[in-house]
Amino acid sequence: MTQCCFLRVHSLFFWFWSFHHRMALALCLQVLCSLCGWLSLYISFCHLNKHRSYEWSCRLVTFTHGVLSIGLSAYIGFIDGPWPFTHPGSPNTPLQVHVLCLTLGYFVFDLGCIWRFAWRKSIKKYHAWRSRRSEERQLKHNGHLKIH
């Protein structure tokens, strides 16, 4: 009898553990698909606006995310429900989870853009600072100081 109880508890634990892993995997997959969607939108904007910079296309994606997330959040809050003021803390609906995954994918995209653009700009500023510093050293060695 104890073996039978052990098998029931073990199989219930395995199902519970397996269910949570599948749910986590499904959420990660949704975030990854969202990231791919934002990247493909960015690439499309880059091709459509060849005369603009890459940062311009990134800002268009940011604008698109803002409009989309505000619209979906308004739909969820006012139409689909539950109303957040009468049902605070209720479990998330599937639509809410999809919007959260969509937004998380955008935030990962935006973080990559920040690193790609904040690194190139930071390197340029660093090289400019190094060149100014070396010019000041050369002027100090000659006995002259540069006045700005």
Side-chain angles (χ1 to χ4, degrees), residues 52-113:
R52 302 277 189 179
S53 68
Y54 292 125
E55 193 170 358
W56 174 265
S57 297
C58 184
R59 290 180 186 192
L60 283 176
V61 172
T62 300
F63 176 75
T64 305
H65 169 261
V67 169
L68 187 64
S69 63
I70 288 172
L72 287 171
S73 297
Y75 175 77
I76 289 170
F78 294 118
I79 297 171
D80 191 45
W83 182 249
F85 298 116
T86 58
H87 296 87
S90 59
N92 291 336
T93 64
L95 182 59
Q96 289 172 336
V97 172
H98 290 308
V99 172
L100 289 171
C101 290
L102 182 78
T103 301
L104 183 58
Y106 166 75
F107 286 142
V108 172
F109 165 80
D110 194 42
L111 183 63
C113 285

Side-chain angles (χ1 to χ4, degrees), residues 82-145:
W83 182 249
F85 298 116
T86 58
H87 296 87
S90 59
N92 291 336
T93 64
L95 182 59
Q96 289 172 336
V97 172
H98 290 308
V99 172
L100 289 171
C101 290
L102 182 78
T103 301
L104 183 58
Y106 166 75
F107 286 142
V108 172
F109 165 80
D110 194 42
L111 183 63
C113 285
I114 289 170
W115 284 344
R116 178 177 182 243
F117 291 122
W119 179 258
R120 206 178 321 162
K121 284 184 180 180
S122 295
I123 293 296
K124 285 181 184 178
K125 287 182 180 182
Y126 175 73
H127 287 299
W129 175 77
R130 291 280 297 196
S131 66
R132 277 196 316 266
R133 189 171 168 205
S134 65
E135 288 174 4
E136 289 175 0
R137 277 195 208 146
Q138 288 175 356
L139 290 175
K140 283 182 182 179
H141 287 292
N142 293 336
H144 304 293
L145 290 177

